[in-house]
Every structure is written in C-alpha cells, then in structure tokens.
C-alpha cells in the first residue's frame, strides 16, 4: 500500500515539474500580458486540475482580475481592495494563504465557483515589488498542501519575472517610437 501511495506522490511531483517547465517555456515566448496570463491559467489548470484559477494584478490599492478559468467573462476587470478577501489579504501580507475550509473563513469572498471548499492564494512579486496574486480554488476541502504551496511559489516567481520583462519591453518600444 505504501509503495502505491509513494508512486502516486512521485507521479504528482513529475507532473508539477512538467508544469513549471512548460509554463517557463511559454512565459519566455509570451509577447503580451494577455497571452501570458492566458497561458499560465490554461497550463496550470491542465496540469494541477483544480477547479478555478485567477490572476489578479495590482492597480493602485486594488487587485484587478486579469485572467481566470471558471469565472464568468464579465468578472474580468473585477477589483478587490488590498486587505479584503483571501486575495487581498495575501497581497497585504505578501505571503501564501491557504484556506482549508472557506465556510470557516470570515474574510472569504465567494468567487462564483459552485461548491468551493478551499482556496490558496500566492503573491506575485518581482524583487520587492508586489505585482499581483495568483489564486486557486477547489471544490474539495483541504485540497492544498505544502507541495502546492511550493509549486505555486515557484510559478509566481516565474510569473513575476515574465511580467517585469514584458513591462521593460513595452517601455523600450515606447521610447524607441
């Protein structure tokens, strides 16, 4: 029985490493923010298989939803104040927040995911600058563990670098024009 469990855990780790590799390659090839966010959400959902994924970008003192899976299209652009909800508290503290049971969380903001039970949110940071938050929800309670936090942390680091590179490229293009 232990061998079977260890085999499943190893297979999961291999899938997570594949995700990071694939996303790393696609991030490097992304030519604009919209494509970058779309690739990250699509690939993360495809490999990790949780129910809802969202990327929020800091705009002033709010976080604007820029890309998501499951969320209705009209939610794109939705703004959450820094410090409010799981996403806002993650941004304010600049630390990963994992909620095992959203029903017991007094600051959880319902995303529209029917039957949402748990959420994990990780800050997207470049250097000392907060760029945004990546949030994942699941219909399973206590769906996220230390391994998910590790993978999401690495993914958010890659995403922070990619966003910064796209910002630099855009500003250089404007200068040249």
């Amino acid at each position: 029985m232990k061998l079977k469990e260890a085999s499943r855990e190893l297979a999961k780790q291999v899938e997570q490493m594949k995700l990071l590799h694939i996303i790393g390659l696609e991030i490097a090839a992304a030519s604009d923010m919209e494509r970058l966010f779309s690739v990250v959400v699509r690939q993360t959902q495809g490999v990790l298989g949780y129910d809802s994924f969202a990327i929020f970008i800091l705009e002033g003192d709010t976080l604007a939803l820029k890309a998501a899976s499951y969320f209705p299209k009209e939610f794109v652009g939705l703004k959450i104040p820094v410090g409010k909800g799981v996403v806002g508290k993650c941004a304010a503290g600049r630390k990963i927040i994992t909620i095992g049971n959203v029903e017991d969380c007094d600051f959880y903001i319902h995303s529209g995911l029917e039957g949402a039970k748990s959420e994990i949110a990780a800050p997207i940071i470049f250097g000392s600058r907060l760029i945004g938050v990546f949030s994942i929800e699941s219909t399973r309670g206590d769906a996220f563990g230390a391994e998910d936090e590790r993978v999401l942390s690495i993914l958010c680091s890659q995403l922070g670098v990619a966003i910064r590179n796209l910002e630099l490229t855009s500003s250089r293009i404007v200068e040249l024009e």
Side-chain angles (χ1 to χ4, degrees), residues 92-129:
R94 295 177 177 224
K95 292 184 180 174
I96 292 176
I97 294 179
T98 304
I99 306 296
N101 183 352
V102 297
E103 291 176 8
D104 294 339
C105 180
D106 60 351
F107 56 88
Y108 173 74
I109 298 173
H110 188 55
S111 67
L113 175 63
E114 191 68 35
K117 298 272 192 263
S118 56
E119 181 175 6
I120 185 171
I124 302 167
I125 296 173
F126 179 80
S128 62
R129 177 180 156 223

Side-chain angles (χ1 to χ4, degrees), residues 15-146:
E15 286 302 308
Q16 290 169 338
M17 292 304 110
K18 281 202 286 190
L19 164 73
L20 294 172
H21 175 72
I22 290 167
I23 289 177
L25 293 174
E26 292 206 35
I27 281 174
S31 57
D32 62 71
M33 294 289 187
E34 190 173 313
R35 172 153 170 66
L36 172 66
F37 298 152
S38 174
V39 162
V40 170
V41 167
R42 186 182 70 248
Q43 290 292 349
T44 305
Q45 184 173 28
V47 175
L48 295 182
Y50 292 112
D51 301 297
S52 175
F53 297 79
I55 297 174
F56 293 84
I57 297 299
L58 186 64
E59 293 181 353
D61 56 355
T62 63
L63 294 151
L65 179 61
K66 296 295 183 178
S69 68
Y70 182 78
F71 284 73
K73 293 281 186 219
E74 61 269 13
F75 275 40
V76 173
L78 169 80
K79 294 189 178 188
I80 296 175
V82 171
K84 300 288 182 188
V86 176
V87 168
K89 288 196 179 288
C90 171
R94 295 177 177 224
K95 292 184 180 174
I96 292 176
I97 294 179
T98 304
I99 306 296
N101 183 352
V102 297
E103 291 176 8
D104 294 339
C105 180
D106 60 351
F107 56 88
Y108 173 74
I109 298 173
H110 188 55
S111 67
L113 175 63
E114 191 68 35
K117 298 272 192 263
S118 56
E119 181 175 6
I120 185 171
I124 302 167
I125 296 173
F126 179 80
S128 62
R129 177 180 156 223
L130 175 69
I131 296 172
V133 173
F134 194 128
S135 173
I136 304 173
E137 287 185 307
S138 176
T139 55
R140 289 184 301 117
D142 295 313
F144 308 105

